[in-house]
Amino acid sequence: MKIFLLLITTLLIGISVSGQVSDTVYNENKNIRLYCKAQELENVPYFFLVLGKNEIELDNEKLGLIDLDWIENLHVLTKEIAIKKFGSKAEHGAISIKIKEKNIKDLKEKLRTKNK
């Protein structure tokens, strides 16, 4: 009986392994697409851009124009400090995005062309 169970187990493992090998050998390049529904976020902080001594309010569209390599630093302002500085539009805090000096010209150009 033990030999019979050992033989069946070995046979099942062999079938499983050969099935996996043949699947990976003959597998073609398949693309997978994921779709998800975007939702409006609640409690979104107020984003603003620091360009030298100037501060510019950022909406989602402008935020998407920023190349991540251009960011020098991010600074998070708590709710209380943000409201003191920007008023009720910053009731969920604020995030300051400082751009590297060498990239300010590139960002200004992107903002100009986007506004046309």
Side-chain angles (χ1 to χ4, degrees):
M1 183 70 170
K2 289 181 182 179
I3 295 175
F4 179 71
L5 288 175
L6 185 60
L7 182 62
I8 295 295
T9 305
T10 307
L11 182 63
L12 290 175
I13 290 173
I15 291 171
S16 174
V17 170
S18 70
Q20 290 175 2
V21 169
S22 67
D23 187 41
T24 56
V25 170
Y26 300 112
N27 191 9
E28 294 179 12
N29 226 357
K30 296 179 183 174
N31 294 327
I32 297 174
R33 293 180 187 216
L34 298 176
Y35 295 94
C36 62
K37 182 178 178 183
Q39 297 178 348
E40 285 290 321
L41 297 176
E42 296 178 15
N43 305 328
V44 176
Y46 174 73
F47 288 94
F48 66 98
L49 190 62
V50 178
L51 300 173
K53 294 183 180 183
N54 299 323
E55 293 178 350
I56 300 171
E57 180 178 349
L58 290 176
D59 56 17
N60 283 340
E61 196 172 326
K62 289 178 185 173
L63 194 58
L65 295 175
I66 299 173
D67 187 323
L68 296 178
D69 292 332
W70 297 351
I71 297 175
E72 184 173 320
N73 66 44
L74 298 172
H75 184 74
V76 178
L77 283 74
T78 62
K79 177 180 177 178
E80 294 79 21
I81 294 172
I83 290 174
K84 283 180 186 175
K85 186 168 182 167
F86 300 109
S88 63
K89 60 186 171 185
E91 66 182 321
H92 300 294
I95 297 178
S96 158
I97 302 172
K98 184 171 183 180
I99 301 298
K100 296 175 185 173
E101 287 292 325
K102 66 180 182 177
N103 300 113
I104 291 176
K105 184 178 176 183
D106 297 328
L107 180 60
K108 285 182 178 179
E109 182 62 33
K110 263 191 171 180
L111 290 171
R112 258 188 244 112
T113 56
K114 186 66 179 174
N115 289 334
K116 289 183 180 180

